[in-house]
């Protein structure tokens, strides 16, 4: 692991949360600290130092990183989620509490719906600080648990090692598999030993998928074509509940589910639609005003750091900590209803 005693070179034009919150004072207080897994401040900030165009720029190597480096992480968590150090996380996975009748039953606007949660295995370092042996062990224990799933969740595990380039590229293009070579993840050590220990599990219809050892050790995903958001949420909840009887997840009362990126803490949930908004997207200011009002994020068609194609955007909840899972999906749903109304009126 790295240890750099010099304040990093962060250019003035850098707008990431790292550049905003890593003051010289914070750096001095934290620069010699190391977690039990050997994770240092230099490790936590390396992605944002090497990638000046980061939005956030920091990652945690383990649960302890969030307390040991709290003078840096707390203000970032507060700014991203609106969650203060004295707040407690909340959970509600009851689909009956979600009000989400299909806002586009004719399929004019919503192409597809996807909801994912991130999870990490209890008592293991997170991906940025994990060893190869530990990562392989995590993969084996997750796959063992997944093998026992039944009914709609029954499927197979496909390791990345040995997968043909054609199959891999088709899975990525069709939005099922994580991409390879992400520079933000590479800089925080998340791509070490690639492709070993990584893979994807999915059912026959690819409506239920699990990514293994990408940014988090598990990304549990429910997705399908169209806008039946409640059906997607209900399937995800059933998957989470089944998997947690087989694999123990890293969780604490303050931060909820522990994830390697602070933006994913809490519910670790991102609920999104791919939605065609060809008219509204001509007026980005108006579009952003609606997404900001509903705490939503706009991404491109191939996920984070990608561009839109053909007026289709990925719209998802931005807050994940201090709000329940139902609220995450409700934010997305309410925003999507308004986006469709405005698109229709143009
Ligand atoms: P994550 O969702 O795990 O934060 P990304 O933003 O990289 O990561 O998205 C992962 C993949 O999921 C990308 O291929 C993206 O296009 C796809 N995706 C996201 N939302 C949807 C959706 N509603 N329908 C279909 N694919 C989606
Ligand atoms: C960045 O800082 O841009 C990357 N490390 C990704 C941050 C996660 N993005 C997000 O908004 N959820």
């Amino acid at each position: 692991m790295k240890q750099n005693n010099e304040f990093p070179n962060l250019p003035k034009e850098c707008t990431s949360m790292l550049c905003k919150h890593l003051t010289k004072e914070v750096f001095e207080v934290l620069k010699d600290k190391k977690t039990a897994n050997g994770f240092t401040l230099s490790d936590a900030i390396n992605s944002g130092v090497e990638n000046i165009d980061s939005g956030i720029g920091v990652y945690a190597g383990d649960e302890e990183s969030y307390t040991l480096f709290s003078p840096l992480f707390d203000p970032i968590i507060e700014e991203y989620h609106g969650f203060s150090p004295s707040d407690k996380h909340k959970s509600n996975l009851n689909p009956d509490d979600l009000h989400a009748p299909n806002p586009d039953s004719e399929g004019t606007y919503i192409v597809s719906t996807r909801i994912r949660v991130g999870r990490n295995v209890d008592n293991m370092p997170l991906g940025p600080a994990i060893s190869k042996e530990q990562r392989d062990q995590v993969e084996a224990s997750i796959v063992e648990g997944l093998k026992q799933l039944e009914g709609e969740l029954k499927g197979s595990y496909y390791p990345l090692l040995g997968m043909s380039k054609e199959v891999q590229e088709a899975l990525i293009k069709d939005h099922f598999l994580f991409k390879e070579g992400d520079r933000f993840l590479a800089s925080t050590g998340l791509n070490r030993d690639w492709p070993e220990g990584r893979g994807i599990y999915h059912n026959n219809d690819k409506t239920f998928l699990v990514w293994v050892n990408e940014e988090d050790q598990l990304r549990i995903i429910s997705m399908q074509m169209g806008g039946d958001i409640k059906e997607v949420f209900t399937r995800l909840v059933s998957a989470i509940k089944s998997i947690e009887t087989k694999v123990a997840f890293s969780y604490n009362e303050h931060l909820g589910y522990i994830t390697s990126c602070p933006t994913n803490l809490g519910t670790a949930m991102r609920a999104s639609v791919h939605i065609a908004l060809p008219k509204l997207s001509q007026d980005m200011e108006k579009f952003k005003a609606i997404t900001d009002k509903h705490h939503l994020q706009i991404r491109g068609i191939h996920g984070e750091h990608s561009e839109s194609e053909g007026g289709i955007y990925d719209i998802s909840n931005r807050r994940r900590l201090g709000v329940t899972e139902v609220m995450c999906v409700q934010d997305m749903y309410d925003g999507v209803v308004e986006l469709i109304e405005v698109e229709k009126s143009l």
Side-chain angles (χ1 to χ4, degrees), residues 205-314:
D205 295 339
K206 301 199 188 82
T207 53
F208 164 61
L209 310 96
V210 182
W211 293 356
V212 178
N213 283 324
E214 195 243 5
E215 180 177 319
D216 290 304
Q217 289 156 4
L218 300 101
R219 284 285 168 96
I220 305 172
I221 302 161
S222 168
M223 64 196 281
Q224 67 192 42
M225 300 309 281
D228 193 337
I229 296 167
K230 193 158 179 157
E231 188 167 282
V232 174
F233 182 67
T234 304
R235 182 188 305 111
L236 180 73
V237 170
S238 124
I240 294 172
K241 297 208 158 154
S242 300
I243 298 172
E244 73 190 3
T245 64
K246 308 184 190 330
V247 182
F249 299 142
S250 178
Y251 178 88
N252 78 44
E253 286 213 334
H254 173 53
L255 293 177
Y257 289 99
I258 304 300
T259 54
S260 61
C261 178
T263 66
N264 282 319
L265 289 165
T267 59
M269 175 170 281
R270 189 168 89 86
S272 66
V273 289
H274 276 179
I275 182 168
L277 300 167
K279 292 180 186 151
L280 179 57
S281 59
Q282 301 295 310
D283 183 349
M284 277 320 271
E285 213 172 297
K286 191 166 187 173
F287 187 5
K288 281 266 307 146
I290 301 171
T291 53
D292 285 349
K293 175 177 151 198
H294 293 279
H295 312 284
L296 302 180
Q297 191 177 54
I298 307 173
R299 294 188 181 185
I301 199 73
H302 293 289
E304 184 144 48
H305 308 116
S306 73
E307 298 299 321
S308 154
E309 281 169 20
I312 299 177
Y313 289 83
D314 170 333

Side-chain angles (χ1 to χ4, degrees), residues 73-86:
F73 278 111
D74 279 353
I76 292 178
I77 290 170
E78 186 144 18
E79 183 172 342
Y80 186 88
H81 299 280
F83 182 85
S84 82
S86 57

Side-chain angles (χ1 to χ4, degrees), residues 121 124 136-146 148 246-247:
V121 175
M124 274 284 177
D136 290 347
Q137 208 181 317
V138 163
E139 180 192 34
S141 66
I142 294 171
V143 172
E144 191 47 46
L146 292 174
Q148 298 167 45
K246 308 184 190 330
V247 182

Side-chain angles (χ1 to χ4, degrees), residues 9-223:
N9 177 26
L10 300 171
K12 284 214 166 44
E13 62 273 19
C14 174
T15 56
S16 69
M17 291 200 192
L18 169 70
C19 290
K20 184 166 170 191
H21 296 291
L22 186 71
T23 59
K24 295 223 160 69
E25 294 70 33
V26 168
F27 183 81
E28 279 310 310
V29 172
L30 300 180
K31 72 179 187 342
D32 298 321
K33 295 192 190 285
K34 203 183 253 194
T35 69
N37 293 301
F39 201 72
T40 64
L41 178 68
S42 301
D43 295 321
I45 67 176
N46 197 51
S47 189
V49 172
E50 289 188 352
N51 300 285
I52 285 306
D53 57 340
S54 291
I56 313 294
V58 296
Y59 287 93
D62 40 32
E63 183 175 349
E64 189 192 348
S65 302
Y66 286 110
T67 45
L68 195 66
F69 305 119
S70 61
L72 176 61
F73 278 111
D74 279 353
I76 292 178
I77 290 170
E78 186 144 18
E79 183 172 342
Y80 186 88
H81 299 280
F83 182 85
S84 82
S86 57
D87 287 340
K88 265 205 174 151
H89 181 58
K90 313 179 186 102
S91 175
N92 179 3
L93 280 164
N94 185 354
D96 293 342
D97 294 337
L98 177 69
H99 172 75
N102 191 340
D104 178 36
S105 48
E106 290 181 5
T108 315
Y109 304 97
I110 301 179
V111 180
S112 50
T113 303
R114 174 182 184 266
I115 312 180
R116 60 83 164 156
V117 292
R119 293 288 186 266
N120 289 280
V121 175
D122 203 17
N123 295 315
M124 274 284 177
L126 296 165
I130 206 164
S131 70
K132 181 174 180 335
E133 292 66 33
Q134 287 170 321
R135 189 188 309 106
D136 290 347
Q137 208 181 317
V138 163
E139 180 192 34
S141 66
I142 294 171
V143 172
E144 191 47 46
L146 292 174
K147 261 195 209 154
Q148 298 167 45
L149 297 179
E150 287 170 355
E152 193 187 12
L153 307 179
K154 195 173 173 56
S156 305
Y157 180 66
Y158 305 90
L160 216 53
L161 186 69
M163 185 183 287
S164 74
K165 274 284 158 214
E166 293 73 42
V167 169
Q168 186 188 353
E169 277 162 20
L171 285 171
I172 295 171
K173 185 176 139 290
D174 294 339
H175 309 288
F176 296 122
L177 180 62
F178 46 85
K179 49 189 189 245
E180 183 168 337
D182 182 289
R183 64 190 158 92
F184 301 87
L185 301 187
S187 299
T188 195
L190 271 162
N191 293 351
R192 288 169 299 131
D193 311 306
W194 191 278
E196 288 177 63
R198 280 81 176 188
I200 182 172
Y201 171 98
H202 62 77
N203 66 2
N204 211 19
D205 295 339
K206 301 199 188 82
T207 53
F208 164 61
L209 310 96
V210 182
W211 293 356
V212 178
N213 283 324
E214 195 243 5
E215 180 177 319
D216 290 304
Q217 289 156 4
L218 300 101
R219 284 285 168 96
I220 305 172
I221 302 161
S222 168
M223 64 196 281

